[in-house]
Amino acid sequence: MDILQCYHNSRLLVDWSDKRIWFAVASIVFNPTFWNIVARKEYRTKFITRMFKGNGLYGCYALAATIFTLGLIRDAVFKYAVDTQPKAQCMDHWFLQALAYFLFAVGNVFVLSSMWVLGVTGTYLGDYFGILMDERVTSFPFNVNDNPMYNGTVMIFLGTALWSLSPAGVYLSCIVHFVYRIALKFEGPFTTDIYIKRDQDRAAAKKTTSTPAKKQTKKDL
């Protein structure tokens, strides 16, 4: 059976009445919604920083731990939903299984290398705590993918779905991709504005310090 025929035969093999798949959808949607709302509130009010007595670094670490934990919960809910949904045996095709391993491996490389290059604060919204990077990261994986963290995560989900022979997992992976695209519409411009403001403040401070003081004259005195 070819891959196209497999798609036509398996695309309806999803039990949408199963509450577990909807828990997975809710978790997928909740996570980026949560961290965007919380991070913006932190940027405007510093409420997390105040909880840690003015230490923004500790506040960022706390948010990082929260986001990481939510990610583990989302992954577990996703895997549980995939394992309990109907299987499409036609997806046990050498090409689809090879694709699954490829997506899973490359996705993990993207995610892990992104975290390594950015560090904890760069990965987990340190910008919103005033912890800014000196310059834009252009090394791997950012030199081959603009959003390796998000795209790598989608690849991992899709690879897991294909490996598990799960049409439901493929649909959930598409939802992950769609939700991340929406998140980027909000995160990208807002983060850019943070760095623009930083650069403007630096330029203003430099201009102030480089302007020579006006020489006093007898008239001024």
Side-chain angles (χ1 to χ4, degrees):
M1 180 181 295
D2 62 25
I3 296 174
L4 184 60
Q5 186 63 40
C6 176
Y7 165 74
H8 285 298
N9 291 347
S10 63
R11 58 195 172 95
L12 298 179
L13 286 176
V14 180
D15 182 8
W16 294 107
S17 65
D18 188 348
K19 292 181 179 179
R20 286 166 291 200
I21 194 171
W22 292 109
F23 285 144
V25 171
S27 181
I28 289 168
V29 173
F30 174 79
N31 284 14
T33 304
F34 167 80
W35 72 59
N36 270 286
I37 291 175
V38 171
R40 288 193 180 211
K41 184 174 177 62
E42 163 62 23
Y43 179 75
R44 294 189 175 105
T45 68
K46 301 299 179 184
F47 79 104
I48 299 177
T49 298
R50 291 201 306 270
M51 290 170 59
F52 289 89
K53 299 181 179 179
N55 193 317
L57 182 61
Y58 288 173
C60 183
Y61 285 161
L63 181 60
T66 303
I67 294 174
F68 185 78
T69 301
L70 289 172
L72 293 178
I73 294 172
R74 176 204 58 193
D75 294 349
V77 172
F78 171 85
K79 190 64 170 66
Y80 187 52
V82 164
D83 289 342
T84 55
Q85 283 285 314
K87 305 294 183 184
Q89 293 304 319
C90 65
M91 292 175 69
D92 191 13
H93 185 281
W94 71 267
F95 177 79
L96 292 179
Q97 291 304 296
L99 180 61
Y101 283 106
F102 174 80
L103 290 171
F104 191 84
V106 174
N108 271 288
V109 169
F110 278 170
V111 171
L112 295 176
S113 60
S114 297
M115 295 179 70
W116 176 262
V117 171
L118 296 175
V120 174
T121 57
T123 301
Y124 294 104
L125 305 169
D127 322 84
Y128 295 73
F129 290 82
I131 307 170
L132 307 183
M133 305 190 74
D134 292 332
E135 57 186 15
R136 182 181 178 87
V137 176
T138 56
S139 60
F140 184 84
F142 293 92
N143 58 348
V144 297
N145 195 299
D146 288 338
N147 300 291
M149 182 72 70
Y150 285 170
N151 292 332
T153 300
V154 173
M155 293 171 75
I156 293 170
F157 275 106
L158 184 56
T160 301
L162 294 175
W163 179 77
S164 302
L165 313 180
S166 174
V170 174
Y171 285 121
L172 289 173
S173 300
C174 291
I175 294 173
V176 173
H177 175 73
F178 179 71
V179 169
Y180 278 167
R181 295 284 75 74
I182 295 176
L184 284 171
K185 294 292 184 182
F186 290 91
E187 291 177 18
F190 196 85
T191 303
T192 299
D193 287 344
I194 291 175
Y195 280 89
I196 289 175
K197 185 178 183 303
R198 189 275 304 272
D199 293 340
Q200 290 175 341
D201 291 343
R202 281 182 173 179
K206 185 176 180 181
K207 184 177 180 180
T208 300
T209 56
S210 62
T211 301
K214 183 181 177 181
K215 186 178 181 179
Q216 288 184 320
T217 64
K218 292 183 177 180
K219 185 177 180 180
D220 294 328
L221 298 172

